[in-house]
Amino acid sequence: NQNLTIAVLIILFLSVGLVLFLVRKPKHLNIEEQEESQQQCIDNMLNSAKQGHYQLTLLLLNINHINTMDLAFIIPRLKHTLREQDKLFRHNTDEIIIILPHTSPIGAARVATQIEQVLSEWKTALKVNIGIAGLQQLDTFDVLVKKAVINQLNKIKSQETSYSHDEN
């Protein structure tokens, strides 16, 4: 009887341990690990698009004028407007990057319009300029970000030019 009782207790402890192991919550990654996994995800998406010869477009949103408290509500809303395969990343404190696989720059412009509509719900005083950059075979992530920044600056410049023409 003692051997049977010991065997049952061992099995009970092992099953409780297994349940606790399976149910435990995953550890939260520290910021450096999150940035590394984010960069790996971005690199994987770029490499996959290059190898598969499909279009990929990057959107760059400057969010420095948006209240940090509002971002907790805006980011989930933005994710809801995107497709499942689209990825949204917080690039730094002032920028959000959205990667749109299987999307041309023309399609990305449509997505940018949808994003502007979402952001307009928060009554931001400034118009958000969204930079758009299409992936070319030799582009890296940094090159795509630079292209998107240039696109943003060109939009700002064209808006300023149209304002000055309207004033005249």
Side-chain angles (χ1 to χ4, degrees):
N1 281 342
Q2 285 182 335
N3 290 340
L4 182 60
T5 306
I6 292 172
V8 169
L9 284 174
I10 290 173
I11 292 172
L12 180 66
F13 283 127
L14 288 175
S15 60
V16 168
L18 179 64
V19 168
L20 290 175
F21 176 78
L22 294 176
V23 174
R24 74 176 180 169
K25 294 181 180 179
K27 290 188 272 181
H28 292 288
L29 299 175
N30 65 28
I31 294 172
E32 289 178 5
E33 289 174 339
Q34 285 177 344
E35 288 174 358
E36 285 179 16
S37 65
Q38 174 178 312
Q39 191 60 47
Q40 278 183 324
C41 182
I42 290 169
D43 290 341
N44 289 342
M45 291 178 79
L46 295 180
N47 290 335
S48 178
K50 288 177 184 178
Q51 290 174 359
H53 299 289
Y54 63 81
Q55 293 182 328
L56 180 138
T57 306
L58 179 137
L59 300 180
L60 180 69
L61 285 75
N62 189 340
I63 56 169
N64 63 353
H65 63 280
I66 297 176
N67 187 348
T68 308
M69 300 296 284
D70 290 339
L71 283 176
F73 300 102
I74 291 173
I75 289 176
R77 181 75 172 90
L78 289 175
K79 287 181 179 179
H80 182 70
T81 61
L82 299 173
R83 301 172 301 180
E84 188 174 320
Q85 68 262 28
D86 300 336
K87 299 294 180 196
L88 183 144
F89 302 101
R90 186 80 183 267
H91 185 240
N92 54 39
T93 56
D94 293 338
E95 296 174 331
I96 290 177
I97 288 180
I98 300 173
I99 297 181
L100 307 169
H102 304 287
T103 307
S104 69
I106 295 169
R110 291 186 193 119
V111 174
T113 303
Q114 293 173 343
I115 290 170
E116 287 171 349
Q117 289 173 352
V118 169
L119 295 176
S120 69
E121 294 173 6
W122 268 265
K123 309 282 188 235
T124 57
L126 299 172
K127 180 173 175 12
V128 176
N129 286 311
I130 301 174
I132 299 173
L135 178 69
Q136 301 296 321
Q137 194 64 28
L138 298 177
D139 287 347
T140 63
F141 173 69
D142 292 332
V143 170
L144 272 179
V145 171
K146 288 177 185 175
K147 284 182 178 180
V149 168
I150 290 169
N151 183 263
Q152 273 182 329
L153 294 174
N154 286 338
K155 286 180 180 179
I156 292 169
K157 185 177 180 182
S158 67
Q159 286 175 357
E160 289 173 355
T161 305
S162 67
Y163 289 141
S164 65
H165 286 302
D166 291 344
E167 291 174 358
N168 294 335

